[in-house]
Amino acid sequence: MKPDNYFWNELKTQKERELFCKNSGSTYKYISKHILRKKGSTRTPRKEILVGMVNASNGRISLDDAIDHFLINPVKFFAKKQKENKRAA
């Protein structure tokens, strides 16, 4: 398991970080304020941003890494989302 925010810390310049944020479909302000905290205390990004972050990393982080970082209990989270979707349908 990789330490929290390892990928972000590998981005050395402000310009690299801003480009990553843009390519992930988010903003530098959003990611630095809400996402860069220790595991479990972060805001869970929308699916589009989560996938965008994985894609913007050019293979350096996987979707599994991202889910593990943002969701304390991914199975419970996705089960809850499925239940909400069924109710809405």
Side-chain angles (χ1 to χ4, degrees):
M1 183 173 190
K2 297 174 180 143
D4 289 344
N5 302 324
Y6 74 94
F7 176 74
W8 185 259
N9 294 330
E10 287 179 355
L11 301 173
K12 300 299 182 196
T13 66
Q14 178 81 11
K15 191 173 184 174
E16 284 180 308
R17 290 179 177 186
E18 289 173 357
L19 182 62
F20 170 77
C21 296
K22 181 181 176 187
N23 291 340
S24 68
S26 189
T27 64
Y28 179 82
K29 183 178 178 180
Y30 177 85
I31 288 181
S32 62
K33 184 175 181 179
H34 297 296
I35 294 179
L36 296 177
R37 298 187 184 151
K38 66 181 182 175
K39 182 178 176 179
S41 68
T42 60
R43 181 178 285 183
T44 303
R46 295 184 326 266
K47 179 182 174 184
E48 297 82 21
I49 293 176
L50 194 63
V51 171
M53 291 172 74
V54 171
N55 294 337
S57 77
N58 296 321
R60 294 190 288 184
I61 58 174
S62 68
L63 187 56
D64 288 343
D65 288 337
I67 289 171
D68 185 56
H69 177 77
F70 292 110
L71 304 174
I72 296 172
N73 188 342
V75 173
K76 185 176 180 181
F77 174 81
F78 287 114
K80 181 180 177 185
K81 289 290 182 188
Q82 280 184 325
K83 189 182 274 188
E84 288 172 0
N85 291 340
K86 285 181 181 176
R87 284 186 199 153

